[in-house]
Amino acid sequence: MEQIASSLPSAIAKKIAVEIKSFVGDSAISEFHTALGQFINYRFSLRQVEPDLVLYLAISTEIYSTFFCRPLIQEIIGEQQLKLIT
């Protein structure tokens, strides 16, 4: 996991962490299950040590448009409160 520090003034700066996933396997749903499980575990662990840190899942625009736009996946994203970067 890569942590990114902002160069914004501290009054408006937020600390974020970004989990980057490539989805290069044969099964997008299998890759999604792995990424979701890791994301949930990382988010839980980070809350213990850095409660103000916001975790994002970074994915390619292609996988977003071909897989993440599906209604079921959108529902899961909403339910699990995934924050995405494309």
Side-chain angles (χ1 to χ4, degrees):
M1 181 171 32
E2 179 181 338
Q3 285 196 5
I4 299 175
S6 174
S7 61
L8 297 171
S10 61
I12 58 172
K14 288 186 178 181
K15 289 172 66 174
I16 68 170
V18 179
E19 176 63 19
I20 301 170
K21 290 296 179 189
S22 58
F23 285 79
V24 296
D26 292 334
S27 170
I29 193 71
S30 179
E31 294 279 327
F32 177 70
H33 288 155
T34 299
L36 178 61
Q38 289 175 339
F39 183 91
I40 292 168
N41 289 337
Y42 291 153
R43 184 174 58 195
F44 178 83
S45 297
L46 286 170
R47 282 183 182 155
Q48 306 305 306
V49 295
E50 294 257 9
D52 295 330
L53 193 71
V54 179
L55 180 60
Y56 288 83
L57 178 65
I59 56 172
S60 72
T61 303
E62 179 182 350
I63 195 67
Y64 181 83
S65 64
T66 60
F67 181 76
F68 277 73
C69 285
R70 295 177 182 181
L72 174 64
I73 303 305
Q74 285 293 305
E75 286 185 44
I76 294 169
I77 289 169
E79 177 74 23
Q80 296 300 321
Q81 300 178 3
L82 268 70
K83 297 185 183 314
L84 300 175
I85 296 175
T86 58

